[in-house]
Short mmCIF file of all heavy atoms in Angstrom, two decimals:
data_model
loop_
_atom_site.label_atom_id
_atom_site.label_comp_id
_atom_site.label_asym_id
_atom_site.label_seq_id
_atom_site.Cartn_x
_atom_site.Cartn_y
_atom_site.Cartn_z
N MET R 1 4.50 4.69 -11.38
CA MET R 1 3.46 3.70 -11.15
C MET R 1 3.38 3.33 -9.67
O MET R 1 4.42 3.13 -9.05
CB MET R 1 3.77 2.43 -11.96
CG MET R 1 2.73 2.16 -13.02
SD MET R 1 2.91 0.58 -13.80
CE MET R 1 4.48 0.76 -14.64
N PRO R 2 2.20 3.24 -9.13
CA PRO R 2 2.08 2.90 -7.71
C PRO R 2 2.29 1.42 -7.43
O PRO R 2 2.10 0.58 -8.30
CB PRO R 2 0.64 3.31 -7.36
CG PRO R 2 -0.08 3.30 -8.67
CD PRO R 2 0.92 3.54 -9.75
N ILE R 3 2.70 1.13 -6.21
CA ILE R 3 2.89 -0.27 -5.79
C ILE R 3 1.66 -0.73 -5.02
O ILE R 3 1.19 -0.01 -4.13
CB ILE R 3 4.15 -0.41 -4.91
CG1 ILE R 3 5.39 -0.08 -5.72
CG2 ILE R 3 4.24 -1.81 -4.32
CD1 ILE R 3 6.66 -0.09 -4.88
N TYR R 4 1.16 -1.89 -5.38
CA TYR R 4 0.01 -2.45 -4.68
C TYR R 4 0.41 -3.75 -4.01
O TYR R 4 1.32 -4.44 -4.47
CB TYR R 4 -1.15 -2.68 -5.65
CG TYR R 4 -1.66 -1.40 -6.25
CD1 TYR R 4 -1.28 -1.03 -7.53
CD2 TYR R 4 -2.50 -0.56 -5.52
CE1 TYR R 4 -1.74 0.16 -8.09
CE2 TYR R 4 -2.95 0.61 -6.07
CZ TYR R 4 -2.57 0.97 -7.36
OH TYR R 4 -3.01 2.14 -7.89
N GLU R 5 -0.31 -4.06 -2.93
CA GLU R 5 0.01 -5.26 -2.20
C GLU R 5 -1.09 -6.30 -2.43
O GLU R 5 -2.27 -5.98 -2.37
CB GLU R 5 0.11 -4.94 -0.71
CG GLU R 5 0.95 -5.93 0.05
CD GLU R 5 1.29 -5.41 1.44
OE1 GLU R 5 1.22 -4.18 1.65
OE2 GLU R 5 1.59 -6.23 2.30
N TYR R 6 -0.66 -7.52 -2.67
CA TYR R 6 -1.60 -8.59 -2.96
C TYR R 6 -1.35 -9.77 -2.04
O TYR R 6 -0.25 -9.97 -1.54
CB TYR R 6 -1.47 -9.05 -4.42
CG TYR R 6 -1.84 -7.97 -5.41
CD1 TYR R 6 -0.93 -6.99 -5.77
CD2 TYR R 6 -3.10 -7.92 -5.98
CE1 TYR R 6 -1.26 -5.99 -6.66
CE2 TYR R 6 -3.45 -6.93 -6.87
CZ TYR R 6 -2.53 -5.97 -7.20
OH TYR R 6 -2.86 -4.97 -8.07
N ARG R 7 -2.44 -10.53 -1.81
CA ARG R 7 -2.27 -11.77 -1.05
C ARG R 7 -2.90 -12.90 -1.84
O ARG R 7 -4.03 -12.79 -2.32
CB ARG R 7 -2.95 -11.66 0.32
CG ARG R 7 -2.61 -12.85 1.21
CD ARG R 7 -3.54 -12.97 2.38
NE ARG R 7 -3.43 -11.83 3.30
CZ ARG R 7 -2.55 -11.77 4.29
NH1 ARG R 7 -1.74 -12.77 4.50
NH2 ARG R 7 -2.51 -10.72 5.07
N CYS R 8 -2.15 -13.99 -1.95
CA CYS R 8 -2.63 -15.14 -2.71
C CYS R 8 -3.76 -15.83 -1.95
O CYS R 8 -3.68 -16.03 -0.74
CB CYS R 8 -1.48 -16.11 -2.94
SG CYS R 8 -2.00 -17.60 -3.81
N MET R 9 -4.81 -16.16 -2.68
CA MET R 9 -5.94 -16.84 -2.07
C MET R 9 -5.63 -18.30 -1.76
O MET R 9 -6.27 -18.92 -0.93
CB MET R 9 -7.15 -16.79 -3.02
CG MET R 9 -7.64 -15.40 -3.37
SD MET R 9 -8.67 -14.69 -2.07
CE MET R 9 -7.53 -13.49 -1.38
N ASP R 10 -4.63 -18.84 -2.42
CA ASP R 10 -4.33 -20.26 -2.28
C ASP R 10 -3.28 -20.52 -1.20
O ASP R 10 -3.49 -21.29 -0.29
CB ASP R 10 -3.84 -20.83 -3.62
CG ASP R 10 -4.96 -20.82 -4.66
OD1 ASP R 10 -6.13 -20.86 -4.25
OD2 ASP R 10 -4.65 -20.74 -5.85
N CYS R 11 -2.11 -19.86 -1.32
CA CYS R 11 -1.01 -20.16 -0.40
C CYS R 11 -0.80 -19.04 0.61
O CYS R 11 0.11 -19.10 1.42
CB CYS R 11 0.28 -20.43 -1.18
SG CYS R 11 0.96 -18.96 -1.98
N ARG R 12 -1.62 -18.00 0.56
CA ARG R 12 -1.55 -16.89 1.54
C ARG R 12 -0.27 -16.08 1.44
O ARG R 12 0.05 -15.32 2.35
CB ARG R 12 -1.71 -17.41 2.97
CG ARG R 12 -3.05 -18.08 3.22
CD ARG R 12 -4.12 -17.05 3.41
NE ARG R 12 -5.46 -17.66 3.30
CZ ARG R 12 -6.57 -16.94 3.22
NH1 ARG R 12 -6.53 -15.65 3.24
NH2 ARG R 12 -7.74 -17.52 3.12
N LYS R 13 0.45 -16.23 0.37
CA LYS R 13 1.68 -15.47 0.18
C LYS R 13 1.33 -14.00 -0.10
O LYS R 13 0.43 -13.68 -0.87
CB LYS R 13 2.47 -16.07 -0.98
CG LYS R 13 3.61 -15.23 -1.47
CD LYS R 13 4.79 -15.29 -0.55
CE LYS R 13 5.95 -14.43 -1.10
NZ LYS R 13 7.03 -14.33 -0.11
N LYS R 14 2.05 -13.10 0.57
CA LYS R 14 1.87 -11.67 0.33
C LYS R 14 2.98 -11.17 -0.57
O LYS R 14 4.13 -11.52 -0.39
CB LYS R 14 1.93 -10.92 1.67
CG LYS R 14 0.62 -10.23 2.04
CD LYS R 14 0.66 -9.75 3.47
CE LYS R 14 1.63 -8.59 3.66
NZ LYS R 14 1.52 -8.01 5.03
N PHE R 15 2.61 -10.34 -1.54
CA PHE R 15 3.66 -9.80 -2.42
C PHE R 15 3.24 -8.43 -2.95
O PHE R 15 2.06 -8.10 -2.98
CB PHE R 15 3.97 -10.77 -3.56
CG PHE R 15 2.79 -11.06 -4.45
CD1 PHE R 15 2.61 -10.38 -5.64
CD2 PHE R 15 1.86 -12.01 -4.09
CE1 PHE R 15 1.53 -10.65 -6.47
CE2 PHE R 15 0.76 -12.30 -4.90
CZ PHE R 15 0.60 -11.60 -6.09
N ASP R 16 4.23 -7.67 -3.35
CA ASP R 16 3.99 -6.34 -3.90
C ASP R 16 4.06 -6.40 -5.42
O ASP R 16 4.81 -7.17 -5.99
CB ASP R 16 5.04 -5.36 -3.40
CG ASP R 16 4.95 -5.16 -1.90
OD1 ASP R 16 3.84 -5.24 -1.36
OD2 ASP R 16 5.99 -4.92 -1.30
N LEU R 17 3.27 -5.56 -6.03
CA LEU R 17 3.25 -5.53 -7.49
C LEU R 17 3.15 -4.09 -7.96
O LEU R 17 2.36 -3.30 -7.45
CB LEU R 17 2.03 -6.32 -7.98
CG LEU R 17 2.16 -7.01 -9.33
CD1 LEU R 17 3.31 -8.01 -9.33
CD2 LEU R 17 0.87 -7.72 -9.66
N LEU R 18 4.01 -3.78 -8.91
CA LEU R 18 3.99 -2.46 -9.52
C LEU R 18 3.12 -2.52 -10.77
O LEU R 18 3.43 -3.23 -11.72
CB LEU R 18 5.43 -2.08 -9.90
CG LEU R 18 5.77 -0.62 -10.12
CD1 LEU R 18 5.74 0.14 -8.81
CD2 LEU R 18 7.16 -0.51 -10.73
N ARG R 19 2.01 -1.79 -10.74
CA ARG R 19 1.14 -1.84 -11.91
C ARG R 19 0.35 -0.55 -12.03
O ARG R 19 0.23 0.20 -11.07
CB ARG R 19 0.21 -3.05 -11.85
CG ARG R 19 -0.42 -3.26 -10.52
CD ARG R 19 -1.51 -4.29 -10.44
NE ARG R 19 -1.48 -5.37 -11.43
CZ ARG R 19 -2.44 -6.26 -11.54
NH1 ARG R 19 -3.49 -6.19 -10.75
NH2 ARG R 19 -2.39 -7.19 -12.44
N PRO R 20 -0.18 -0.30 -13.23
CA PRO R 20 -0.94 0.93 -13.43
C PRO R 20 -2.17 0.98 -12.53
O PRO R 20 -2.73 -0.05 -12.16
CB PRO R 20 -1.37 0.85 -14.90
CG PRO R 20 -0.51 -0.18 -15.53
CD PRO R 20 -0.07 -1.11 -14.44
N MET R 21 -2.56 2.20 -12.19
CA MET R 21 -3.69 2.38 -11.30
C MET R 21 -4.96 1.76 -11.88
O MET R 21 -5.82 1.27 -11.16
CB MET R 21 -3.90 3.88 -11.06
CG MET R 21 -4.60 4.19 -9.74
SD MET R 21 -4.68 5.97 -9.45
CE MET R 21 -2.97 6.34 -9.06
N SER R 22 -5.06 1.76 -13.21
CA SER R 22 -6.25 1.24 -13.86
C SER R 22 -6.38 -0.27 -13.67
O SER R 22 -7.46 -0.82 -13.83
CB SER R 22 -6.23 1.57 -15.34
OG SER R 22 -5.06 1.06 -15.95
N GLN R 23 -5.27 -0.93 -13.32
CA GLN R 23 -5.31 -2.38 -13.15
C GLN R 23 -5.20 -2.78 -11.68
O GLN R 23 -5.03 -3.95 -11.36
CB GLN R 23 -4.16 -3.04 -13.92
CG GLN R 23 -4.30 -2.92 -15.44
CD GLN R 23 -3.06 -3.42 -16.15
OE1 GLN R 23 -2.27 -4.18 -15.61
NE2 GLN R 23 -2.86 -2.98 -17.38
N SER R 24 -5.29 -1.80 -10.80
CA SER R 24 -5.02 -2.07 -9.38
C SER R 24 -5.99 -3.06 -8.77
O SER R 24 -5.65 -3.80 -7.86
CB SER R 24 -5.05 -0.77 -8.60
OG SER R 24 -6.36 -0.22 -8.63
N SER R 25 -7.23 -3.07 -9.25
CA SER R 25 -8.22 -3.96 -8.64
C SER R 25 -8.35 -5.28 -9.37
O SER R 25 -9.14 -6.13 -8.99
CB SER R 25 -9.58 -3.27 -8.58
OG SER R 25 -9.93 -2.78 -9.84
N ASP R 26 -7.56 -5.44 -10.43
CA ASP R 26 -7.59 -6.71 -11.13
C ASP R 26 -6.89 -7.78 -10.30
O ASP R 26 -5.94 -7.48 -9.59
CB ASP R 26 -6.87 -6.59 -12.48
CG ASP R 26 -7.63 -5.72 -13.46
OD1 ASP R 26 -8.77 -5.35 -13.12
OD2 ASP R 26 -7.09 -5.41 -14.52
N PRO R 27 -7.31 -9.03 -10.42
CA PRO R 27 -6.61 -10.10 -9.72
C PRO R 27 -5.20 -10.28 -10.28
O PRO R 27 -4.98 -10.11 -11.48
CB PRO R 27 -7.46 -11.34 -9.97
CG PRO R 27 -8.64 -10.92 -10.75
CD PRO R 27 -8.51 -9.49 -11.12
N ALA R 28 -4.27 -10.60 -9.41
CA ALA R 28 -2.89 -10.80 -9.85
C ALA R 28 -2.51 -12.27 -9.73
O ALA R 28 -3.18 -13.04 -9.04
CB ALA R 28 -1.95 -9.96 -9.00
N GLU R 29 -1.43 -12.62 -10.38
CA GLU R 29 -0.98 -14.00 -10.33
C GLU R 29 0.08 -14.18 -9.26
O GLU R 29 1.04 -13.42 -9.21
CB GLU R 29 -0.42 -14.42 -11.69
CG GLU R 29 -0.10 -15.90 -11.77
CD GLU R 29 0.50 -16.28 -13.12
OE1 GLU R 29 1.68 -15.98 -13.34
OE2 GLU R 29 -0.23 -16.86 -13.95
N CYS R 30 -0.14 -15.15 -8.40
CA CYS R 30 0.81 -15.42 -7.33
C CYS R 30 2.15 -15.87 -7.91
O CYS R 30 2.18 -16.76 -8.76
CB CYS R 30 0.24 -16.49 -6.40
SG CYS R 30 1.40 -17.05 -5.16
N PRO R 31 3.25 -15.29 -7.45
CA PRO R 31 4.58 -15.68 -7.97
C PRO R 31 5.02 -17.03 -7.46
O PRO R 31 5.96 -17.62 -7.99
CB PRO R 31 5.50 -14.57 -7.44
CG PRO R 31 4.80 -14.02 -6.25
CD PRO R 31 3.32 -14.19 -6.49
N VAL R 32 4.36 -17.54 -6.42
CA VAL R 32 4.77 -18.82 -5.84
C VAL R 32 4.01 -19.99 -6.46
O VAL R 32 4.59 -20.91 -7.00
CB VAL R 32 4.55 -18.80 -4.31
CG1 VAL R 32 4.95 -20.14 -3.70
CG2 VAL R 32 5.34 -17.67 -3.68
N CYS R 33 2.68 -19.91 -6.41
CA CYS R 33 1.89 -21.06 -6.86
C CYS R 33 1.07 -20.76 -8.10
O CYS R 33 0.33 -21.61 -8.56
CB CYS R 33 0.98 -21.54 -5.73
SG CYS R 33 -0.38 -20.39 -5.39
N LYS R 34 1.21 -19.58 -8.64
CA LYS R 34 0.46 -19.15 -9.83
C LYS R 34 -1.04 -19.10 -9.57
O LYS R 34 -1.84 -19.12 -10.51
CB LYS R 34 0.74 -20.09 -11.03
CG LYS R 34 2.22 -20.25 -11.34
CD LYS R 34 2.82 -18.95 -11.81
CE LYS R 34 4.32 -19.11 -12.14
NZ LYS R 34 4.97 -17.81 -12.35
N GLY R 35 -1.41 -19.05 -8.32
CA GLY R 35 -2.83 -18.94 -7.98
C GLY R 35 -3.30 -17.51 -8.11
O GLY R 35 -2.54 -16.60 -8.44
N GLN R 36 -4.55 -17.30 -7.78
CA GLN R 36 -5.13 -15.97 -7.91
C GLN R 36 -4.93 -15.19 -6.61
O GLN R 36 -5.27 -15.65 -5.53
CB GLN R 36 -6.62 -16.09 -8.24
CG GLN R 36 -7.16 -14.76 -8.74
CD GLN R 36 -8.65 -14.84 -9.08
OE1 GLN R 36 -9.49 -14.93 -8.21
NE2 GLN R 36 -8.97 -14.82 -10.36
N ALA R 37 -4.40 -13.98 -6.76
CA ALA R 37 -4.17 -13.12 -5.60
C ALA R 37 -5.03 -11.88 -5.70
O ALA R 37 -5.27 -11.36 -6.78
CB ALA R 37 -2.70 -12.74 -5.53
N LYS R 38 -5.50 -11.44 -4.54
CA LYS R 38 -6.33 -10.25 -4.52
C LYS R 38 -5.63 -9.12 -3.80
O LYS R 38 -4.86 -9.34 -2.87
CB LYS R 38 -7.66 -10.56 -3.83
CG LYS R 38 -8.55 -11.43 -4.68
CD LYS R 38 -9.97 -11.43 -4.17
CE LYS R 38 -10.91 -12.10 -5.17
NZ LYS R 38 -12.26 -12.29 -4.61
N ARG R 39 -5.95 -7.91 -4.18
CA ARG R 39 -5.32 -6.74 -3.60
C ARG R 39 -5.76 -6.56 -2.15
O ARG R 39 -6.94 -6.71 -1.82
CB ARG R 39 -5.66 -5.50 -4.41
CG ARG R 39 -4.90 -4.27 -3.96
CD ARG R 39 -4.90 -3.22 -5.05
NE ARG R 39 -6.22 -2.63 -5.23
CZ ARG R 39 -6.56 -1.44 -4.73
NH1 ARG R 39 -5.69 -0.75 -4.03
NH2 ARG R 39 -7.74 -0.95 -4.93
N ILE R 40 -4.83 -6.24 -1.29
CA ILE R 40 -5.15 -5.93 0.10
C ILE R 40 -4.75 -4.49 0.39
O ILE R 40 -4.12 -3.82 -0.45
CB ILE R 40 -4.43 -6.89 1.08
CG1 ILE R 40 -2.92 -6.81 0.89
CG2 ILE R 40 -4.93 -8.31 0.87
CD1 ILE R 40 -2.19 -7.67 1.87
N ALA R 41 -5.09 -4.02 1.57
CA ALA R 41 -4.80 -2.64 1.93
C ALA R 41 -3.32 -2.36 1.79
O ALA R 41 -2.48 -3.08 2.29
CB ALA R 41 -5.24 -2.38 3.37
N SER R 42 -2.99 -1.29 1.11
CA SER R 42 -1.61 -0.99 0.79
C SER R 42 -0.87 -0.45 2.00
O SER R 42 -1.38 0.38 2.74
CB SER R 42 -1.57 0.02 -0.34
OG SER R 42 -0.28 0.57 -0.46
N THR R 43 0.37 -0.91 2.18
CA THR R 43 1.19 -0.38 3.27
C THR R 43 1.66 1.03 2.95
O THR R 43 1.95 1.80 3.84
CB THR R 43 2.42 -1.28 3.50
OG1 THR R 43 3.08 -1.47 2.25
CG2 THR R 43 2.02 -2.62 4.06
N PHE R 44 1.71 1.31 1.67
CA PHE R 44 2.09 2.67 1.26
C PHE R 44 1.10 3.69 1.80
O PHE R 44 1.47 4.73 2.34
CB PHE R 44 2.16 2.73 -0.27
CG PHE R 44 2.47 4.11 -0.80
CD1 PHE R 44 3.76 4.60 -0.75
CD2 PHE R 44 1.47 4.89 -1.34
CE1 PHE R 44 4.04 5.86 -1.24
CE2 PHE R 44 1.75 6.15 -1.83
CZ PHE R 44 3.04 6.64 -1.78
N MET R 45 -0.18 3.37 1.69
CA MET R 45 -1.21 4.26 2.19
C MET R 45 -1.15 4.38 3.71
O MET R 45 -1.32 5.44 4.28
CB MET R 45 -2.60 3.74 1.78
CG MET R 45 -2.82 3.67 0.28
SD MET R 45 -3.04 5.30 -0.46
CE MET R 45 -4.76 5.60 -0.02
N ALA R 46 -0.90 3.25 4.37
CA ALA R 46 -0.86 3.25 5.83
C ALA R 46 0.28 4.13 6.34
O ALA R 46 0.13 4.87 7.30
CB ALA R 46 -0.70 1.81 6.34
N LYS R 47 1.41 4.05 5.66
CA LYS R 47 2.55 4.86 6.07
C LYS R 47 2.26 6.34 5.87
O LYS R 47 2.62 7.17 6.68
CB LYS R 47 3.78 4.46 5.25
CG LYS R 47 4.55 3.30 5.84
CD LYS R 47 5.70 2.92 4.91
CE LYS R 47 6.26 1.54 5.28
NZ LYS R 47 7.08 1.00 4.19
N GLY R 48 1.58 6.65 4.78
CA GLY R 48 1.30 8.04 4.48
C GLY R 48 0.40 8.70 5.49
O GLY R 48 0.62 9.84 5.89
N SER R 49 -0.61 7.95 5.97
CA SER R 49 -1.55 8.55 6.90
C SER R 49 -1.05 8.50 8.34
O SER R 49 -1.41 9.32 9.17
CB SER R 49 -2.90 7.84 6.80
OG SER R 49 -2.74 6.47 7.07
N GLY R 50 -0.20 7.53 8.65
CA GLY R 50 0.25 7.38 10.04
C GLY R 50 1.55 8.12 10.32
O GLY R 50 1.96 8.23 11.46
N GLY R 51 2.22 8.60 9.29
CA GLY R 51 3.53 9.21 9.47
C GLY R 51 3.51 10.43 10.35
O GLY R 51 4.42 10.65 11.13
N GLU R 52 2.44 11.20 10.23
CA GLU R 52 2.41 12.47 10.95
C GLU R 52 2.35 12.27 12.47
O GLU R 52 3.07 12.91 13.21
CB GLU R 52 1.21 13.29 10.49
CG GLU R 52 1.50 14.79 10.42
CD GLU R 52 0.38 15.53 9.68
OE1 GLU R 52 -0.07 15.04 8.63
OE2 GLU R 52 -0.04 16.56 10.18
N SER R 53 1.49 11.35 12.88
CA SER R 53 1.33 11.14 14.31
C SER R 53 2.54 10.41 14.90
O SER R 53 2.84 10.55 16.06
CB SER R 53 0.06 10.35 14.59
OG SER R 53 0.04 9.16 13.84
N MET R 54 3.24 9.62 14.04
CA MET R 54 4.37 8.87 14.54
C MET R 54 5.63 9.73 14.61
O MET R 54 6.63 9.32 15.17
CB MET R 54 4.62 7.67 13.64
CG MET R 54 3.62 6.55 13.88
SD MET R 54 3.82 5.22 12.70
CE MET R 54 5.33 4.45 13.29
N GLY R 55 5.58 10.91 14.02
CA GLY R 55 6.74 11.77 14.02
C GLY R 55 7.12 12.27 15.41
O GLY R 55 8.26 12.61 15.65
N GLY R 56 6.17 12.32 16.31
CA GLY R 56 6.45 12.71 17.69
C GLY R 56 6.69 14.19 17.84
O GLY R 56 7.76 14.62 18.25
N GLY R 57 5.73 15.02 17.48
CA GLY R 57 5.85 16.46 17.66
C GLY R 57 6.66 17.12 16.59
O GLY R 57 7.05 16.52 15.60
N GLY R 58 6.93 18.39 16.76
CA GLY R 58 7.65 19.13 15.74
C GLY R 58 6.69 19.70 14.73
O GLY R 58 6.06 18.97 13.98
N GLY R 59 6.52 21.00 14.70
CA GLY R 59 5.57 21.62 13.79
C GLY R 59 6.17 21.82 12.43
O GLY R 59 7.25 21.30 12.12
N CYS R 60 5.48 22.58 11.61
CA CYS R 60 6.02 22.89 10.30
C CYS R 60 7.11 23.95 10.41
O CYS R 60 7.41 24.44 11.49
CB CYS R 60 4.89 23.35 9.38
SG CYS R 60 4.18 24.93 9.83
N SER R 61 7.69 24.34 9.30
CA SER R 61 8.84 25.23 9.33
C SER R 61 8.48 26.62 9.87
O SER R 61 9.35 27.35 10.34
CB SER R 61 9.44 25.36 7.93
OG SER R 61 8.45 25.73 7.01
N SER R 62 7.19 27.00 9.80
CA SER R 62 6.80 28.31 10.28
C SER R 62 6.31 28.28 11.72
O SER R 62 5.88 29.27 12.27
CB SER R 62 5.72 28.91 9.37
OG SER R 62 4.56 28.11 9.39
N CYS R 63 6.39 27.14 12.34
CA CYS R 63 5.91 26.99 13.72
C CYS R 63 7.06 27.17 14.71
O CYS R 63 8.13 26.61 14.53
CB CYS R 63 5.33 25.60 13.94
SG CYS R 63 3.68 25.41 13.33
N SER R 64 6.79 27.91 15.77
CA SER R 64 7.78 27.98 16.84
C SER R 64 7.42 27.01 17.95
O SER R 64 8.28 26.60 18.73
CB SER R 64 7.86 29.40 17.40
OG SER R 64 6.56 29.85 17.75
N SER R 65 6.15 26.62 18.00
CA SER R 65 5.73 25.68 19.03
C SER R 65 5.89 24.24 18.52
O SER R 65 6.37 24.01 17.42
CB SER R 65 4.28 25.95 19.43
OG SER R 65 3.43 25.69 18.34
N SER R 66 5.47 23.29 19.30
CA SER R 66 5.63 21.89 18.94
C SER R 66 4.51 21.38 18.06
O SER R 66 4.52 20.24 17.65
CB SER R 66 5.75 21.03 20.20
OG SER R 66 4.58 21.17 20.98
N SER R 67 3.53 22.23 17.78
CA SER R 67 2.46 21.78 16.90
C SER R 67 2.05 22.89 15.95
O SER R 67 2.40 24.05 16.14
CB SER R 67 1.25 21.33 17.73
OG SER R 67 0.50 22.44 18.13
N CYS R 68 1.29 22.52 14.93
CA CYS R 68 0.87 23.49 13.94
C CYS R 68 -0.45 24.15 14.33
O CYS R 68 -1.06 24.84 13.52
CB CYS R 68 0.71 22.82 12.58
SG CYS R 68 2.27 22.53 11.74
N GLY R 69 -0.91 23.92 15.55
CA GLY R 69 -2.21 24.44 15.95
C GLY R 69 -2.30 25.96 15.93
O GLY R 69 -3.38 26.53 15.80
N SER R 70 -1.16 26.68 16.03
CA SER R 70 -1.21 28.13 16.14
C SER R 70 -0.76 28.84 14.87
O SER R 70 -0.79 30.05 14.79
CB SER R 70 -0.34 28.58 17.32
OG SER R 70 0.96 28.12 17.14
N CYS R 71 -0.33 28.10 13.86
CA CYS R 71 0.25 28.78 12.70
C CYS R 71 -0.70 28.85 11.51
O CYS R 71 -0.30 29.29 10.44
CB CYS R 71 1.56 28.11 12.29
SG CYS R 71 1.34 26.55 11.43
N HIS R 72 -1.93 28.36 11.68
CA HIS R 72 -2.81 28.39 10.52
C HIS R 72 -3.94 29.41 10.68
O HIS R 72 -4.34 29.69 11.79
CB HIS R 72 -3.42 27.00 10.29
CG HIS R 72 -2.40 26.04 9.77
ND1 HIS R 72 -1.79 26.16 8.55
CD2 HIS R 72 -1.85 24.95 10.35
CE1 HIS R 72 -0.94 25.15 8.39
NE2 HIS R 72 -0.95 24.41 9.47
ZN1 LIG L 101 0.08 -18.62 -4.08
#
């Protein structure tokens, strides 16, 4: 099950919630004030897309150079 990130509309508390993808856009209940929390951009997604550029060079296993530009 994927983890989604929510922020409470009332107390601004941010929290993670493990729930089925089918319920990802449903409002969640804040663990602090029991208010309504809405899903925000997931950090999981951000890490997945930014990981490659943050790696700082190094190609794939078939690359001899520092990038994959020549191996495809
Ligand atoms: Zn709250």
Side-chain angles (χ1 to χ4, degrees):
M1 244 189 295
I3 295 175
Y4 297 100
E5 203 167 339
Y6 296 82
R7 189 196 295 274
C8 178
M9 299 280 106
D10 294 333
C11 70
R12 298 282 165 191
K13 168 76 179 172
K14 244 169 69 172
F15 61 97
D16 296 328
L17 210 60
L18 200 70
R19 45 170 26 186
M21 205 175 288
S22 57
Q23 292 172 21
S24 65
S25 53
D26 291 352
E29 187 182 76
C30 173
V32 179
C33 71
K34 306 294 181 191
Q36 195 180 72
K38 287 195 170 172
R39 187 160 70 100
I40 58 177
S42 166
T43 51
F44 177 76
M45 298 287 281
K47 273 176 195 164
S49 58
E52 217 168 316
S53 53
M54 284 174 73
C60 68
S61 53
S62 63
C63 280
S64 52
S65 65
S66 60
S67 80
C68 282
S70 57
C71 76
H72 288 295

